[in-house]
Amino acid sequence: MESGSTGSAVRRAAERLGHRLELGETRIADLAIVAAELTSNLVKHAEEGSLLLRPVRREREAGVELIAVDSGPGMADLAISSRDGHSTVGTLGIGLGAIVRQATWFDGYSRPGRGTVLAVQIWPSDIDETPWVGGLTRPLSGETASGDGYAVRTIEGRRQVLVADGLGHGPLACAASDAAVTAFHAAPPGSPAAVVQHLHRSMSHTRGAALAVAELPLSSSGVLRYAGLGNIAAQVVAADGRRRGLVSLPGIAGHQRPVIREYEYPFEAGAVLVMHSDGVVDRWRLDDLPGLVERSPLVIAATLLRDAGIRRDDACVLVARASA
């Protein structure tokens, strides 16, 4: 498919989503420019490029998020490439500059030979800070429904996250992870272990899921609390790239009587929490990609999914930081 027709199709899809979310005409026009430019960059420059378009929500409004991912060729300096007038292939060089200018929030990461990840959000109003958490799911090749899911909530000052992997694949696995997400949002305030216990009791009508819940410290450093069942992998990655694995116990939420325990881990300033399903191989290292640990959680998650995700399985990655 040619760049123009691809860009037009993506732009129209973005505009439809913007209208459904009532972004307003000015922001929908900005969204259309961003969608078209991201698509053009992927078609003209990228290897194995993909674009995700989805709604995002905060307490009082909704926005649109676009994530462009490719496997090459990458850029040596994303900041320079984002300036209006910079070009690598003789074009006008306004693509990335236009994206940054129209975006409410933008972040990206690129390495020569490894590829580029660009994340953009368009909101009706400004946002004050980089989102503290980001996650992505991807179904196995040939499927449209993913059995993996994630969720985020803030309740009585607690910042908690969930990653769930419904048993198997397809619609029934998707139903199990959806049930975990629904129960997570409905759970009363409590520790990660209490929330996992609530999820277990709420999922007996499903085929069950591996899942884990983490609670981030209230300040930039402190203690992270974690409780997991089954094969959800979790790591605390320090600012210098050191990793510490978190303990999940054997079991399936929704079945039998699993042992649920909560563990506490030190969480240093600059650290990130990385959680993922078994559709992501755990041999990744953030220090293999210099500077990635400093990027937004969403860009880190998208990069790990690109580099470590398995196409023959559903995959999910969630990355979170503590409060600044």
Side-chain angles (χ1 to χ4, degrees):
M1 187 178 291
E2 295 182 356
S3 172
S5 59
T6 304
S8 296
V10 173
R11 187 188 70 247
R12 289 193 298 271
E15 289 172 334
R16 288 194 298 271
L17 181 56
H19 282 295
R20 287 203 300 271
L21 298 177
E22 300 180 347
L23 282 184
E25 293 301 325
T26 299
R27 300 308 280 149
I28 290 173
D30 294 338
L31 173 61
I33 292 171
V34 169
E37 293 294 349
L38 285 174
T39 306
S40 176
N41 285 338
L42 290 175
V43 172
K44 291 178 181 177
H45 309 300
E47 301 170 9
E48 300 180 13
S50 59
L51 179 66
L52 172 65
L53 171 72
R54 64 182 179 180
V56 286
R57 300 186 183 277
R58 47 188 181 180
E59 187 174 354
R60 292 184 174 85
E61 61 184 1
V64 175
E65 185 170 81
L66 304 97
I67 305 168
V69 180
D70 67 66
S71 298
M75 292 172 274
D77 192 323
L78 183 59
I80 292 176
S81 299
S82 300
R83 297 173 188 166
D84 285 345
H86 180 81
S87 174
T88 57
V89 292
T91 65
L92 292 176
I94 62 173
L96 284 178
I99 292 167
V100 174
R101 193 168 56 252
Q102 308 302 326
T104 308
W105 175 82
F106 168 86
D107 192 31
Y109 181 79
S110 189
R111 295 285 294 175
R114 299 294 293 270
T116 300
V117 172
L118 301 176
V120 183
Q121 291 181 354
I122 306 291
W123 292 92
S125 59
D126 292 338
I127 57 176
D128 298 328
E129 59 186 15
T130 295
W132 64 273
V133 62
L136 293 164
T137 62
R138 186 181 68 194
L140 69 96
S141 296
E143 295 281 351
T144 57
S146 175
D148 292 354
Y150 70 92
V152 178
R153 73 173 188 168
T154 301
I155 183 167
E156 293 190 352
R158 298 173 180 264
R159 283 185 166 181
Q160 296 181 333
V161 297
L162 162 75
V163 170
D165 180 354
L167 294 189
H169 308 292
L172 292 179
C174 181
S177 64
D178 285 350
V181 168
T182 299
F184 176 75
H185 286 301
S191 67
V195 175
V196 170
Q197 186 67 254
H198 174 85
L199 302 186
H200 168 64
R201 292 194 302 265
S202 302
M203 296 176 60
S204 60
H205 64 290
T206 75
R207 62 167 53 178
L211 55 80
V213 173
E215 182 174 305
L216 280 293
L218 295 177
S219 60
S220 60
S221 62
V223 173
L224 179 139
R225 295 176 172 83
Y226 181 86
L229 291 174
N231 55 0
I232 301 300
Q235 308 269 353
V236 172
V237 184
D240 62 3
R242 289 178 292 113
R243 304 199 311 174
R244 179 170 184 171
L246 312 188
V247 175
S248 285
L249 298 180
I252 302 169
H255 288 260
Q256 303 168 344
R257 293 185 178 178
V259 175
I260 299 171
R261 292 199 181 102
E262 182 172 310
Y263 298 90
E264 296 184 352
Y265 301 90
F267 202 81
E268 302 171 0
V272 294
L273 167 70
V274 179
M275 298 170 64
H276 60 80
S277 67
D278 64 352
V280 176
V281 296
D282 60 5
R283 293 189 297 273
W284 54 267
R285 294 182 59 87
L286 292 189
D287 50 5
D288 288 340
L289 294 166
L292 179 60
V293 72
E294 302 167 8
R295 306 315 309 166
S296 65
L298 180 59
V299 165
I300 297 173
T303 303
L304 291 178
L305 184 61
R306 179 196 67 188
D307 292 352
I310 300 171
R311 288 291 182 179
R312 63 180 182 274
D313 197 0
D314 299 327
C316 175
V317 182
L318 178 142
V319 178
R321 293 189 191 278
S323 301

